């Protein structure tokens, strides 16, 4: 029987890469739901090709336009955030690719988790924002979480099978794991003089040397906030302590992450910097299928280098690692502030180094109120998220970060 797929964020880079693999294995997968924000033209093309049962546009006007263009198809077009959660959690699909970028992906991803589905997690913000709540929901429902991010997928592949089956509540020490080594390229500004960082433009920040990603994730990679969010995600996925995880700069992006064991062994997952590899792994797990990615040619590799991440160059990474151990309030606030900051940077409203300044400001503002607060449900998390975004916008208007 083919897996019945719901793809949240179908028109983004992860969604399109997922569909490329589905296209190559038509007997293995049945696309039953596709979602997007407002890209009507691309959604029309995808719906015509895959003919899903449901298509959801987060934007109401975009949904109306798509309905008009798909009037001759069987696809039911829905609109809004509630519809995203509805199709993620309904019984039409058994597997959900959670690839909506940012905090907007939290609620639909949680809906899939509560429904006990196989969830291919490409939306790292879901764990950054809800952490223990997310893990507890997956354990209660029996949902299977498979990490899509290349780094977390690499770690997953290097871990023993029994640990793979217990994500979120595994015991790394009992499994003989010494440390998780989370690799990152360092982004396009890795060797740029620190004095020139403030002048960097959105175009320069989005010119990642190795990976082809959307604008938001590309900027996050330039600040290494992306690695900070991945650090937080890894904490929850692999139930690790601060002593059991380390960030390592690896500019070539050939080793996607490593696991160090107590006996001195280090297992590394290697491959081309192409997201089709981890996507194919998650789609077919525990089997393996063709991803369309060529294997590494080791004769073409000149060198593999490694270094520590400099906090002066990457203050966003340092802040994210600090927030990781402060509590759920801190990572939720950090993520919200960063989303606002990156949006304003891409709009040329603030400078590159102001992203870190704004994030630090918002976390510091919210600490007195939330550092002892228990965020016990999704409503409390979303309320804090909204407050952090409001504070971030106000700080920009007041010129706190520019």
């Amino acid at each position: 029987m083919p897996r019945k797929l719901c793809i949240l964020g179908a028109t983004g880079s992860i969604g399109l890469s997922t569909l490329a693999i589905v296209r190559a294995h038509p007997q293995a997968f049945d696309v039953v739901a596709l979602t997007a924000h407002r890209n009507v033209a691309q959604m029309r093309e995808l719906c015509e090709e895959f003919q899903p049962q449901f298509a959801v546009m987060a934007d109401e006007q975009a949904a109306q336009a798509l309905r008009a263009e798909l009037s001759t198809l069987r696809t039911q077009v829905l609109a809004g955030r509630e519809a995203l959660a509805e199709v993620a959690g309904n019984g039409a699909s058994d597997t959900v690719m959670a690839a909506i970028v940012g905090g907007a992906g939290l609620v639909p991803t949680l809906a899939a988790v509560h429904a006990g589905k196989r969830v291919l997690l490409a939306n790292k913000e879901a764990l950054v924002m809800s952490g223990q709540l997310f893990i507890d929901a997956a354990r209660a429902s029996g949902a299977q979480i498979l990490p899509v991010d290349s780094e977390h997928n690499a770690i997953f592949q290097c871990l023993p099978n029994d640990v793979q089956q217990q994500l979120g509540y595994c015991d790394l020490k009992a499994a003989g794991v010494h440390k998780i080594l989370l690799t990152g390229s360092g982004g396009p500004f890795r060797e740029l003089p620190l004095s020139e960082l403030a002048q960097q433009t959105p175009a320069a920040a989005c010119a990642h040397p190795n990976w082809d990603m959307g604008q938001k994730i590309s900027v996050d990679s330039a600040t290494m906030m992306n690695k900070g969010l991945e650090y937080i995600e890894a904490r929850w996925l692999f139930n690790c302590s601060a002593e059991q995880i380390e960030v390592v700069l690896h500019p070539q992006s050939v080793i996607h992450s490593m696991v160090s064991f107590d006996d001195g062994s280090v297992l590394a997952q290697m491959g081309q910097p192409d997201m089709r590899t981890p996507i194919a792994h998650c789609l077919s797990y525990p089997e393996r299928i063709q991803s369309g990615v060529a294997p590494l040619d080791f004769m073409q590799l000149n060198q593999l280098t490694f270094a520590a991440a400099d906090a002066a160059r990457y203050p966003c990474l340092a802040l994210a690692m600090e927030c990781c151990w402060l509590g759920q309030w801190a990572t939720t606030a950090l993520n919200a502030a960063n989303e606002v900051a990156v949006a304003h940077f891409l709009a040329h409203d603030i400078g590159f180094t102001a992203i870190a300044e704004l994030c630090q400001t918002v976390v510091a503002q919210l600490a007195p109120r939330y550092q002892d607060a228990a965020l016990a449900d999704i409503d409390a998390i979303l309320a804090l998220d909204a407050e952090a975004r409001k504070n971030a916008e106000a700080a920009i208007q007041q010129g706190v970060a520019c």
Side-chain angles (χ1 to χ4, degrees):
M1 291 288 290
R3 286 203 168 273
K4 297 186 179 298
L5 293 180
C6 168
I7 302 177
L8 302 173
T11 60
S13 61
I14 298 295
L16 293 175
S17 292
T18 303
L19 289 169
I21 294 167
V22 170
R23 194 177 289 118
H25 301 275
Q27 304 306 314
F29 306 102
D30 179 18
V31 178
V32 299
L34 297 173
T35 84
H37 186 203
R38 61 165 67 100
N39 191 336
V40 174
Q42 193 154 46
M43 271 292 275
R44 175 183 56 78
E45 293 178 3
L46 295 177
C47 288
E48 289 175 346
E49 178 180 0
F50 294 98
Q51 302 207 10
Q53 184 178 347
F54 301 102
V56 182
M57 304 299 285
D59 182 82
E60 177 65 49
Q61 290 185 333
Q64 293 177 0
L66 186 63
R67 284 191 195 100
E69 298 202 19
L70 299 182
S71 59
T72 61
L73 297 183
R74 70 179 181 92
T75 300
Q76 181 181 359
V77 179
L78 305 174
R81 294 184 177 181
E82 291 185 4
L84 290 173
E86 179 184 337
V87 298
N90 70 24
S93 64
D94 54 50
T95 302
V96 175
M97 169 58 78
I100 296 175
V101 175
L106 172 59
V107 171
T109 303
L110 268 178
V113 169
H114 284 301
K117 300 189 180 188
R118 172 179 278 203
V119 179
L120 315 185
L121 188 63
N123 171 266
K124 62 181 66 64
E125 290 84 0
L127 273 172
V128 169
M129 292 175 67
S130 66
Q132 193 66 57
L133 184 71
F134 186 100
I135 295 301
D136 290 347
R139 191 172 191 179
S141 70
Q144 182 181 32
I145 308 301
L146 295 175
V148 174
D149 269 349
S150 61
E151 295 81 3
H152 304 91
N153 184 264
I155 295 163
F156 180 87
Q157 292 193 51
C158 293
L159 288 170
N161 181 70
D162 59 336
V163 177
Q164 292 181 354
Q165 305 308 315
Q166 298 176 24
L167 288 192
Y169 49 93
C170 54
D171 187 338
L172 294 181
K173 183 176 178 60
V177 173
H178 168 64
K179 186 173 288 189
I180 286 171
L181 302 169
L182 188 68
T183 63
S185 71
F189 305 144
R190 183 176 58 87
E191 297 181 342
L192 192 75
L194 293 179
S195 61
E196 297 180 18
L197 284 176
Q199 288 74 49
Q200 297 310 302
T201 65
C206 290
H208 196 282
N210 302 332
W211 295 93
D212 181 15
M213 305 173 290
Q215 284 190 316
K216 197 272 182 180
I217 298 177
S218 294
V219 174
D220 281 350
S221 293
T223 64
M224 280 198 79
M225 178 65 85
N226 199 47
K227 200 57 51 185
L229 300 180
E230 289 172 2
Y231 178 98
I232 298 165
E233 182 183 6
R235 175 261 176 105
W236 291 112
L237 280 173
F238 307 114
N239 194 31
C240 54
S241 65
E243 293 73 29
Q244 291 175 314
I245 182 170
E246 181 180 346
V247 174
V248 179
L249 291 189
H250 170 51
Q252 295 81 23
S253 297
V254 171
I255 295 176
H256 300 308
S257 275
M258 299 171 278
V259 176
S260 171
F261 290 86
D262 289 336
D263 64 2
S265 300
V266 177
L267 298 187
Q269 190 271 339
M270 306 172 70
Q272 303 283 2
D274 191 315
M275 284 304 299
R276 288 177 296 171
T277 298
I279 291 169
H281 177 262
C282 291
L283 282 171
S284 61
Y285 179 83
E287 309 298 328
R288 291 183 185 268
I289 59 175
Q290 290 286 335
S291 67
V293 180
L296 281 176
D297 181 352
F298 285 89
M299 299 304 101
Q300 299 300 314
L301 296 179
N302 294 322
Q303 61 179 346
L304 301 180
T305 60
F306 307 92
D310 179 12
R313 182 176 297 278
Y314 302 115
C316 283
L317 172 62
L319 178 61
M321 293 171 65
E322 178 185 356
C323 287
C324 180
W325 309 108
L326 289 176
Q328 189 62 68
W329 72 271
T331 58
T332 301
L334 173 70
N335 180 71
N338 181 63
E339 288 191 21
V340 172
V342 171
H344 280 279
F345 170 68
L346 288 170
H348 299 271
D349 297 331
I350 64 173
F352 180 75
T353 53
I355 296 173
E357 295 170 11
L358 184 65
C359 291
Q360 291 168 338
T361 295
V362 172
V363 171
Q365 286 174 341
L366 295 177
R369 286 187 55 201
Y370 286 99
Q371 59 188 353
D372 297 319
L375 300 175
D377 55 48
I378 188 64
D379 290 336
I381 289 170
L382 293 176
L384 171 57
D385 174 78
E387 184 175 353
R389 291 172 191 273
K390 181 179 178 181
N391 283 20
E393 294 285 359
I396 291 172
Q397 293 298 319
Q398 294 165 9
V400 172
C402 58

